[in-house]
Amino acid sequence: MSYTLEINNLCISCDYCRLLCPEKAILRSDQQYNIESWACTGCGLCIEICPVDCIKVATSGKEKE
Ligand code: SF4
C-alpha cells in the first residue's frame, strides 16, 4: 500500500519537521508546510518530532470498500 503524509491545520510552524527530514521532503511556503510524497520515504521522523502531533498518514490510491 502506498501512503503519503499530510500536515493538518494544527501546525504551529515550528519548523522542526522540515529541518529534521533526511530527504528534505518538507517544504515551507509562507506559513504552510507540505510534504512532497514523491520524496518522502515514510521514515516517520517528522511524526515523532512534531510537538502538536499534526502530521498524519493518509492512505492514497483506490481502496476496496
Ligand atoms: Fe508544523 Fe509539526 Fe512540522 Fe512543527 S513539526 S512545522 S508543528 S508539522
Side-chain angles (χ1 to χ4, degrees), residues 22-53:
E23 307 302 327
K24 303 293 180 226
I26 302 177
L27 305 178
R28 176 179 53 187
S29 59
D30 295 329
Q31 291 303 307
Q32 282 214 313
Y33 289 78
N34 289 297
I35 300 176
E36 298 279 18
S37 57
W38 58 267
C40 175
T41 62
C43 71
L45 287 174
C46 58
I47 295 173
E48 288 180 30
I49 202 171
C50 179
V52 294
D53 194 27

